[in-house]
């Protein structure tokens, strides 16, 4: 491992990229401590309980939301805009055409995503300012507008920061910003564990059990994230002019967890909505209904798992076009051994994808509800582990390591990953 790390440091370009990425992390963490003007932070902190939408957003923002800093909305509006654009690319012919135009088309889609991020960010910031009106020192239209503009500017800056990391650093900038926000909460979780130990609430066996479960789940997530079903494909030989093409064998890698973390985000947003709305409505029956959806209740856990399975199938169906895949294979003379090109191939791929998506959906549902069981087994409350955070951290770490590995191997050094 030490020799592999030394190989990384020998490459000047890679060393500069890593230093630049770490410097951008420092900028991000510094921004989480710059408060939004005109807001009472003591009132904000009272809203951050385990069963509301603000808790999830605070995790993504690296604690910026609980401090109500300029980065309070984090990069969430950009994620929402990207998901919306990805869905619109399937249903809007113009966007679909741009997606097939290569770099120029992607630039147009990226530009619209940026505009959508600013628009969604401003709408979300207005909603947050009105929803947190009790925390504003001098409530009024001017103060709300100033807070909304400040929050939108913070999100726009983070979007720019992520693009700079992607261009000049290592890895996907937007993903790394979310990664940095989640990982920054780790010292606080460790500190909470020590406080529990000192108070006698838990013992060292509980901590050891927690660590064992955490390591086992990280290994499990890596195995499933990397898991894929390889469909063998044979390309027939064809003569073009005086040259012969094709004749080779390859495969189509169908990922078990094709949808990634998106189904968990969708399901979380749907279930957190009634709980969050109930905080601003002082009606008895509304509070009662919201109580049914508190995190950890049997109804919430069951609905959470079912919604994750549904959104996994939905998002996979929207983002993967099996018919186009089969048609492209047929166009270039490819076929799956034992199947005719065209519709039989598409039906087979659809059947395989349906089966492995079920495994991926069950995996996501298990990971999402895992924190409830970990807390019950280890008796460690208030230390978040599992679900969205675990998937994002492991996924981003794997992708970044692959990029570093590719750069190291490209310069004829021994690889970083064995």
């Amino acid at each position: 491992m030490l020799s592999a790390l030394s190989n990384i440091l020998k490459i000047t370009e890679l060393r500069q990229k890593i230093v630049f990425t770490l410097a951008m992390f420092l900028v991000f963490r510094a921004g989480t401590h710059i408060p939004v003007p005109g807001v009472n932070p003591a009132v904000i902190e009272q809203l951050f309980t385990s069963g509301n939408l603000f808790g999830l957003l605070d995790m993504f923002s690296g604690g910026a939301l609980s401090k109500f800093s300029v980065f309070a909305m984090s990069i969430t509006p950009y994620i929402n805009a990207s998901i919306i654009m990805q869905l619109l690319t399937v249903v809007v012919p113009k966007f679909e055409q741009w997606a097939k135009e290569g770099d120029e088309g992607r630039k147009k889609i990226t530009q619209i995503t940026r505009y959508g991020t600013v628009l969604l960010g401003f709408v979300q910031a207005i909603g947050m300012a009105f929803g947190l009106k009790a925390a504003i020192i001098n409530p009024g239209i001017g103060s709300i507008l100033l807070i909304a503009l400040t929050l939108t500017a913070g999100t726009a800056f983070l979007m720019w920061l992520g693009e700079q990391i992607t261009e000049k650093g290592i890895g996907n900038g937007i993903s790394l910003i979310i990664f940095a926000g989640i990982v920054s909460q780790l010292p606080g979780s460790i500190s909470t564990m020590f406080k529990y130990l000192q108070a006698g609430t838990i013992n060292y066996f509980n901590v050891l059990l927690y660590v064992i479960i955490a390591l086992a789940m990280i290994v499990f997530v890596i195995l499933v994230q990397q898991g894929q079903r390889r469909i063998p494909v044979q390309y027939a030989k064809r003569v073009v002019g005086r040259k012969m093409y094709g004749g080779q064998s390859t495969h189509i890698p169908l990922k078990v967890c094709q949808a990634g973390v998106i189904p968990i985000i969708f399901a979380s947003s749907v279930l957190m909505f009634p709980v969050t709305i109930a905080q601003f409505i002082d009606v008895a029956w509304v509070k009662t209904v919201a109580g049914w959806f508190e995190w950890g209740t049997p109804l919430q856990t069951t609905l959470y798992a079912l919604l994750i399975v549904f959104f996994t199938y939905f998002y996979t169906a929207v983002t993967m076009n099996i018919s186009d895949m089969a048609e492209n294979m047929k166009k270039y003379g490819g076929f799956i051994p034992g199947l005719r090109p065209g519709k039989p191939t598409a039906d087979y791929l659809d059947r395989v994808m349906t089966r492995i998506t079920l495994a991926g959906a069950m995996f996501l549902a298990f990971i999402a509800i895992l924190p409830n069981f970990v807390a019950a087994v280890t008796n460690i409350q208030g230390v978040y582990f599992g679900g969205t955070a675990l998937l994002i951290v492991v996924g981003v770490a794997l992708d970044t390591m692959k990029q570093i590995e590719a750069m190291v191997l490209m310069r004829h050094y021994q690889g970083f990953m064995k």
Side-chain angles (χ1 to χ4, degrees):
M1 176 60 75
L2 292 177
S3 62
L5 290 173
S6 66
N7 286 339
I8 293 176
L9 297 177
K10 289 177 183 177
I11 305 173
T12 304
E13 181 187 357
L14 182 55
R15 187 170 63 245
Q16 291 174 347
K17 285 179 175 289
I18 293 175
V19 171
F20 179 83
T21 303
L22 294 176
M24 293 301 100
F25 283 170
L26 289 177
V27 174
F28 165 60
R29 292 307 302 160
T32 59
H33 297 282
I34 301 175
V36 173
V39 175
N40 184 357
V43 178
I44 299 294
E45 291 179 2
Q46 296 176 2
L47 297 173
F48 291 86
T49 57
S50 60
N52 56 42
L53 180 60
F54 297 121
L56 179 70
L57 296 177
D58 188 49
M59 179 188 66
F60 286 148
S61 65
L65 183 55
S66 59
K67 301 180 182 71
F68 212 68
S69 74
V70 293
F71 293 161
M73 293 195 302
S74 185
I75 206 69
T76 306
Y78 180 85
I79 297 173
N80 295 335
S82 299
I83 294 172
I84 291 171
M85 280 301 299
Q86 197 169 9
L87 297 177
L88 288 178
T89 301
V90 181
V91 297
V92 178
K94 191 65 175 178
F95 293 163
E96 188 176 4
Q97 179 185 340
W98 287 350
K100 296 178 181 178
E101 289 180 356
D103 289 339
E104 288 301 319
R106 280 193 292 271
K107 286 179 181 177
K108 295 176 183 177
I109 293 177
T110 301
Q111 192 66 19
I112 293 179
T113 304
R114 290 171 182 161
Y115 293 142
T117 299
V118 174
L119 179 62
L120 289 176
F122 185 71
V123 172
Q124 182 178 333
I126 289 288
M128 287 178 62
F130 272 106
L132 303 174
K133 201 171 181 179
I136 300 177
I137 298 173
N138 296 312
I141 298 298
S143 297
I144 290 175
L145 189 60
L146 175 62
I147 291 170
L149 289 174
T150 303
L151 292 175
T152 306
T155 295
F157 179 78
L158 279 182
M159 178 177 62
W160 175 83
L161 202 69
E163 291 177 352
Q164 293 301 305
I165 293 175
T166 303
E167 181 182 348
K168 301 176 183 178
I170 190 76
N172 182 285
I174 301 298
S175 299
L176 284 171
I177 286 176
I178 301 174
F179 173 88
I182 295 173
V183 171
S184 67
Q185 303 298 296
L186 185 60
S189 299
I190 296 175
S191 174
T192 302
M193 280 192 185
F194 276 111
K195 289 178 181 177
Y196 286 160
L197 281 172
Q198 292 174 351
T201 308
I202 60 174
N203 53 42
Y204 285 102
F205 176 76
N206 297 124
V207 175
L208 178 62
L209 183 61
Y210 188 91
V211 172
I212 292 174
I213 294 175
L215 293 176
M217 290 314 305
I218 290 172
V219 173
F220 179 54
V221 169
I222 292 174
L223 290 174
V224 178
Q225 288 276 58
Q226 298 293 91
Q228 55 183 227
R229 169 74 182 274
R230 297 185 175 184
I231 306 296
V233 178
Q234 181 73 37
Y235 283 91
K237 294 181 180 180
R238 55 195 177 98
V239 178
V240 179
R242 295 184 178 181
K243 294 184 178 180
M244 181 177 293
Y245 296 91
Q248 76 272 21
S249 298
T250 183
H251 64 269
I252 302 175
L254 298 179
K255 292 186 66 176
V256 174
C257 195
Q258 184 70 35
V261 75
I262 301 298
I264 295 181
I265 295 176
F266 281 175
S268 300
S269 301
V270 170
L271 288 177
M272 286 176 178
F273 184 74
V275 180
T276 305
I277 292 298
Q279 290 184 343
F280 307 108
I281 302 176
D282 192 14
V283 180
W285 69 268
V286 173
K287 299 287 186 183
T288 302
V289 173
W292 299 342
F293 294 93
E294 289 285 348
W295 289 111
T297 61
L299 177 62
Q300 185 274 336
T301 304
T302 304
L303 289 177
Y304 195 27
L306 292 176
L307 282 174
I308 288 172
V309 173
F310 168 75
F311 281 123
T312 302
Y313 274 99
F314 171 77
Y315 191 76
T316 302
V318 168
T319 55
M320 280 199 68
N321 196 324
I322 299 293
S323 299
D324 282 357
M325 191 185 300
E327 190 62 32
N328 290 333
M329 196 189 309
K330 180 181 178 181
K331 186 189 301 182
Y332 293 103
F335 63 93
I336 298 174
L339 293 173
R340 295 181 62 184
K343 192 176 185 305
T345 297
D347 292 341
Y348 173 76
L349 291 175
D350 184 62
R351 189 163 58 250
V352 172
M353 199 66 220
T354 300
R355 291 175 179 174
I356 65 175
T357 300
L358 177 61
M362 299 302 292
F363 158 74
L364 290 176
F366 171 70
I367 290 296
I369 63 177
L370 178 68
N372 298 335
F373 295 103
V374 172
V377 171
T378 62
N379 199 32
I380 299 177
Q381 306 291 331
V383 179
Y384 186 84
F385 175 78
T388 313
L390 180 61
L391 288 172
I392 290 176
V393 169
V394 172
V396 173
L398 287 174
D399 290 341
T400 306
M401 287 181 65
K402 285 179 182 177
Q403 289 197 27
I404 296 175
E405 169 84 352
M407 292 190 68
V408 172
L409 290 177
M410 194 166 58
R411 285 156 180 79
H412 309 293
Y413 287 104
Q414 184 181 1
F416 178 69
M417 294 187 292
K418 302 295 184 183

